[in-house]
Amino acid sequence: MRVAMIGTGYVGLVSGACFADFGHEVTCVDKDKGKIAALERGEMPIYEPGLNDLVAVNARSGRLKFTTELGPAVKAADAVFIAVGTPSRRGDGHADLTFVHEAAREIARALDGFTAVITKSTVPVGTGDEVERIIKETRPNAEFAVVSNPEFLREGAAIRDFKHPDRIVVGTIEPRAREVMSELYRPLYLNRAPLMFTDRRTAELIKYAANAFLATKITFINEIADLAEKVGADVQEVARGIGLDNRIGGKFLHAGPGFGGSCFPKDTLALLKTGQDNDSPLRVIEAVVTVNDTRKRAMARKVAHALGGELRGKTVAVLGLTFKPNTDDMRESPSIPLITALQDLGAKVRAYDPAGMEQAKPMVSNVAFCHDAYACAEGASALVIVTEWEQFRALDFDRLKEIMERPVLVDLRNIYPPEEVARAGFTYESVGRPKK
């Protein structure tokens, strides 16, 4: 099939490359000439394991092309995906649909014959109706169907998630659009990929509800971790004990400094606004947003506690800046409020991240960025693990003890067994676990 992917951000680029790998002819469109030129040279705008090779192979085969010209790509397409950004709107937290609406108008002008126009961006309930209205208003005689097909990709594992999905949600009741979507995803049938067809509004709500529920699980276990610290229990064992119940499941029950990234913060906020607009307040999600926001800065107090309550004039080494491993995404990362809170308490901050330092530099100031974990730790009064990159899972404690001013480790991801760190002669702080 012929596919036009409007937007070459995280979702658009990964989806376009994967569809091309299925054998479809994909043209990725973006207004950013510099980004398109870089993609044509094989330079990726994001860090995602395996993406460079996937794009290179399919570009060489001719199945994957990049352009700034939307019109020809849409005119030739059987399916047009809208995969543009929907950031939180400044001032009120609603999803900003400016780019979605602009894309709909441009798509309408270029449609030729029946085309499925598919919203891949995460959008509030009812956005598909507005996209349909815009296209009809712009081109009253156009043959098209607007479909909702939300993405469920995890950064760092996006290619695998696309090719081995838990489910593929498709929101349409139009028979021709249903045929197009079935054909697009037909290569996954051998993997028994569950295509779930719903109406459009239901599909839109599924995406927000899924992200809000996962964010709720994270926030729940973080609050249990705080209680575990007070009563002398181990939150990791609590999480395992409740996660073995198949009604609950063990995923997203890892205590830490709070959730971040491009999805959970903005999607929970947008869902809240949708509830308010429809006189259906979502009290649980309100609590999730509030608890998560306050938690990130609170982690600085844990660092201060490990150093006897005083940070002024001390150097703190921060390992991990991105919101999760295997990505360079700094959006809403817990490291940002943590660093600013450490600085507010008078600490000097040094930092290292395997992939995210260039993205972090515009977001935090007065931070010394280092070339590896040990350069970061040199002379520090405390070492703080914020992101659980594999590179931080087997640190040389003897070496760290030699180069640090004080042997203090604050492990916000519970990577290490407390007794192992204590044997190495370190003062150790973790999240929701008793002191050893």
Side-chain angles (χ1 to χ4, degrees):
M1 298 194 77
R2 294 164 298 179
V3 175
M5 187 69 61
I6 314 303
T8 59
Y10 188 87
V11 173
L13 187 54
V14 172
S15 300
C18 287
F19 276 130
D21 209 46
F22 290 168
H24 302 306
E25 296 177 21
V26 180
T27 302
C28 289
V29 182
D30 202 292
K31 290 184 175 181
D32 187 332
K33 294 180 180 179
K35 183 187 283 190
I36 292 298
L39 285 166
E40 288 178 329
R41 294 192 301 268
E43 299 170 9
M44 299 300 105
I46 57 172
Y47 175 81
E48 176 65 33
L51 185 60
N52 287 55
D53 292 340
L54 191 69
V55 169
V57 166
N58 287 285
R60 280 198 302 270
S61 73
R63 290 191 300 270
L64 182 62
K65 298 184 174 76
F66 301 99
T67 183
T68 58
E69 298 297 323
L70 181 144
V74 170
K75 186 174 183 178
D78 304 300
V80 179
F81 284 87
I82 298 175
V84 297
T86 55
S88 293
R89 193 166 63 193
R90 187 174 297 177
D92 63 7
H94 283 275
D96 187 343
L97 299 177
T98 302
F99 300 128
V100 173
H101 295 163
E102 286 179 2
R105 290 186 186 92
E106 291 190 47
I107 289 165
R109 290 191 282 268
L111 290 174
D112 185 11
F114 178 77
T115 309
V117 178
I118 305 142
T119 306
K120 200 72 172 162
S121 304
T122 300
V123 295
V125 177
T127 301
D129 298 351
E130 182 64 9
V131 169
E132 183 177 280
R133 186 196 66 75
I134 288 170
I135 294 175
K136 283 181 176 177
E137 182 182 80
T138 308
R139 280 280 302 284
N141 61 341
E143 281 191 276
F144 70 99
V146 175
V147 180
S148 174
N149 178 215
E151 55 85 18
F152 297 96
L153 307 179
R154 295 169 299 161
E155 294 189 37
I159 294 169
R160 175 170 177 77
D161 285 352
F162 196 97
K163 293 187 174 185
H164 302 273
D166 295 323
R167 77 290 202 198
I168 301 164
V169 176
V170 178
T172 183
I173 57 172
E174 215 281 347
R176 289 178 296 176
R178 186 169 174 146
E179 285 181 25
V180 169
M181 300 305 292
S182 296
E183 185 63 21
L184 278 171
Y185 286 107
R186 187 171 56 82
L188 292 178
Y189 291 178
L190 290 176
N191 297 328
R192 297 174 181 254
L195 265 83
M196 177 182 174
F197 287 96
T198 72
D199 63 85
R200 199 163 56 206
R201 286 186 166 227
T202 299
E204 291 168 341
L205 185 54
I206 285 170
K207 169 63 177 179
Y208 274 118
N211 279 357
F213 187 77
L214 294 176
T216 302
K217 288 187 75 173
I218 294 170
T219 305
F220 172 82
I221 203 64
N222 281 340
E223 291 211 305
I224 294 297
D226 291 343
L227 178 60
E229 287 184 14
K230 300 290 187 183
V231 302
D234 187 330
V235 73
Q236 287 187 304
E237 292 300 307
V238 173
R240 182 169 178 268
I242 65 175
L244 288 170
D245 185 330
N246 59 20
R247 295 169 300 174
I248 298 172
K251 293 182 178 179
F252 288 82
L253 289 177
H254 302 288
F259 60 77
S262 61
C263 295
F264 288 2
K266 77 177 181 66
D267 291 354
T268 49
L269 198 55
L271 185 59
L272 277 183
K273 298 302 179 182
T274 300
Q276 291 168 2
D277 287 350
N278 288 276
D279 196 24
S280 182
L282 301 168
R283 303 301 188 200
V284 172
I285 309 305
E286 285 179 11
V288 166
V289 171
T290 301
V291 170
N292 191 64
D293 285 346
T294 57
R295 183 172 190 80
K296 295 174 184 178
R297 279 183 65 90
M299 292 297 102
R301 293 196 292 273
K302 186 175 283 290
V303 179
H305 181 264
L307 289 172
E310 181 57 58
L311 287 180
R312 188 157 303 281
K314 292 183 171 65
T315 297
V316 176
V318 172
L319 295 186
L321 295 168
T322 55
F323 84 97
K324 66 181 290 189
N326 298 319
T327 180
D328 60 354
D329 197 339
M330 284 294 301
R331 286 174 286 184
E332 302 292 334
S333 174
S335 67
I336 299 170
L338 170 67
I339 287 172
T340 56
L342 289 171
Q343 291 172 330
D344 289 345
L345 292 170
K348 300 173 185 176
V349 177
R350 308 174 71 168
Y352 168 69
D353 188 278
M357 288 197 290
E358 289 305 312
Q359 287 71 21
K361 287 176 181 176
M363 298 184 175
V364 290
S365 57
N366 300 317
V367 173
F369 293 95
C370 305
H371 61 82
D372 65 22
Y374 299 99
C376 186
E378 192 165 353
S381 298
L383 185 66
V384 185
I385 298 175
V386 182
T387 312
E388 65 275 33
W389 284 88
E390 287 185 0
Q391 292 91 327
F392 306 150
R393 292 176 181 269
L395 294 170
D396 184 336
F397 288 117
D398 290 337
R399 183 178 174 187
L400 287 173
K401 198 172 180 182
E402 286 180 7
I403 62 177
M404 291 178 66
E405 182 185 68
R406 292 174 60 180
V408 175
L409 176 62
V410 181
D411 181 1
L412 299 182
R413 297 293 182 174
N414 292 350
I415 292 174
Y416 290 99
E419 56 274 9
E420 175 187 331
V421 185
R423 280 197 305 269
F426 275 72
T427 298
Y428 182 68
E429 283 272 350
S430 57
V431 178
R433 298 192 291 183
K435 303 288 189 296
K436 297 292 183 181

